[in-house]
């Protein structure tokens, strides 16, 4: 099963000097979790929603280490560059690599997506969701004989938990501390 | 393949009245991103690492039930890995608690499903991996 057939494209990218705030806006706009960081045509990093959410802390820690100071004021996400919080050590695969290989890599490295690169060009990105879709399609074609399974899947069973406690509004909970 | 065979059984859980700091400690220790939340032995919610991030700075003073997702999607141990994958894609979630007759018996994550599907694919297709 080739990555080529299951990867997502076009890939949303940012530049190393783009701000964390802009990158987060892009993630929210497209409802995605990763952005590939490019410089010219070159893939130089990958940045996740998690990296971006943690960016003010990450930046504050490196600033205070550099200054030898204690706790620094958290910087504004608009003033932090993507390159300061991205992973520069990118594990990329090629379009002709197998989805199985990608699945193994993602589980082993605990990552959510892999940029798909060939001949210096970014062709796509393969996410865990893409892999689940690929496997579902394989399972469907393998399991044509298992008609009973397919029928059962139409009404995906979903047990309800016994009760649902009211969840207090975050603001109120935080106010309680003050 | 039934979920019972690829889920993580007896997952680490947390109680509604615990703090988010306690939840974070459990997640860091076990290296997972979500915990089922129990109240009186019943599953009442799920709390993820992402939920914790939204309460940054207040982890010691915020209770789990104030930050969790109540009434989470759950599945029974007898459903297939395929159905679990469909639910994850449909709800855009990364993990689902497995409940049997009202009792939490496991949790299944995308990693569990990727492993399960790899086994299925490798077993049913003669894929030669060239790299």
């Amino acid at each position: 099963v080739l990555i080529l057939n299951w990867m997502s494209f076009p890939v949303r990218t940012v530049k190393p000097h783009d701000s964390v705030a802009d990158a987060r806006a892009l993630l929210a706009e497209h409802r995605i979790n990763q952005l590939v960081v490019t410089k010219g045509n070159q893939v130089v990093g990958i940045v996740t929603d998690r990296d971006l959410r943690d960016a003010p802390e990450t930046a504050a820690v490196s600033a205070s280490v550099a200054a030898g100071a204690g706790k620094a004021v958290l910087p504004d996400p608009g003033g932090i560059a993507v390159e300061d919080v991205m992973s520069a050590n990118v594990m990329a695969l090629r379009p002709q690599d197998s989805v199985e290989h990608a699945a193994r890599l993602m589980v082993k490295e605990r990552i959510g997506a892999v940029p798909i690169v060939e001949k210096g060009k970014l062709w796509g990105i393969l996410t865990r969701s893409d892999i689940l879709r690929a496997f579902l399609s394989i399972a469907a074609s393998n399991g044509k004989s298992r008609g009973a399974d397919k029928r059962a899947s139409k009404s995906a069973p979903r047990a309800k938990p016994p009760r649902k406690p009211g969840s207090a509004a975050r603001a109120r909970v935080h106010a309680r501390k003050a | 393949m039934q979920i019972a065979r690829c889920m993580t059984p007896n997952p680490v859980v947390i109680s509604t009245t615990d703090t988010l700091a306690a939840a974070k400690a459990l997640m860091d220790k076990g290296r997972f991103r979500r915990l089922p939340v129990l109240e009186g032995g019943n599953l009442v919610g799920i709390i993820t690492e992402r939920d914790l991030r939204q309460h940054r700075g207040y982890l010691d003073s915020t209770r789990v039930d104030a930050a969790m997702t109540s009434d989470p999607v759950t599945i029974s141990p007898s459903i297939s890995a395929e159905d679990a994958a469909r639910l994850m894609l449909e709800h855009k979630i990364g993990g689902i608690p497995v409940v049997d007759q009202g009792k939490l018996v496991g949790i299944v994550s995308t990693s569990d499903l990727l492993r399960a599907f790899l086994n299925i694919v490798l077993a049913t297709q003669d894929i030669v991996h060239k790299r």
Side-chain angles (χ1 to χ4, degrees), chain A residues 1-58:
Chain A
V1 185
L2 298 185
I3 285 175
L4 176 67
N5 298 324
W6 293 98
M7 65 187 189
S8 303
F9 55 89
V11 188
R12 309 290 165 190
T13 62
V14 285
K15 303 286 169 217
H17 297 299
D18 285 349
S19 77
V20 164
D22 289 347
R24 286 202 66 180
L26 202 57
L27 287 184
E29 184 190 340
H30 298 288
R31 300 195 66 197
I32 51 179
N33 281 317
Q34 298 90 5
L35 294 168
V36 176
V37 187
T38 56
K39 198 172 180 176
N41 273 337
Q42 200 83 18
V43 173
V44 295
I46 190 160
V47 69
T48 67
D49 186 36
R50 189 182 183 187
D51 298 330
L52 297 171
R53 282 164 187 264
D54 287 349
E57 266 82 0
T58 311

Side-chain angles (χ1 to χ4, degrees), chain A residues 54 57 100 110 159 163, chain B residues 31 39 53 56 74 127:
Chain A
D54 287 349
E57 266 82 0
E100 293 84 336
R110 309 176 76 99
R163 61 178 286 263
Chain B
R31 299 193 73 193
E39 188 175 72
R53 272 155 218 277
R56 203 194 305 270
T74 66
I127 287 169

Side-chain angles (χ1 to χ4, degrees), chain B residues 98-112:
Chain B
V98 183
V99 174
D100 190 21
Q101 297 173 346
K103 285 277 166 232
L104 177 75
V105 294
I107 189 162
V108 63
S109 67
T110 50
S111 296
D112 295 325

Side-chain angles (χ1 to χ4, degrees), chain A residues 101-169:
Chain A
H101 179 65
R104 245 179 258 121
L105 182 76
M106 283 193 210
V107 171
K108 180 160 164 271
E109 303 294 339
R110 309 176 76 99
I111 52 181
V114 184
I116 308 304
V117 176
E118 178 158 71
K119 293 186 177 129
K121 186 176 183 308
L122 176 65
W123 291 92
I125 188 164
L126 190 76
T127 67
R128 287 184 172 219
S129 297
D130 295 328
I131 299 184
L132 288 184
R133 275 183 215 105
F135 282 135
L136 278 178
S137 127
I138 295 165
S141 55
N142 280 350
K144 287 251 164 69
S145 53
R146 291 178 297 149
D149 270 10
K150 282 197 115 179
R151 239 171 291 122
S153 76
K154 284 254 163 88
S155 54
R158 202 185 307 169
K160 285 258 174 177
R163 61 178 286 263
K164 179 183 180 181
S167 76

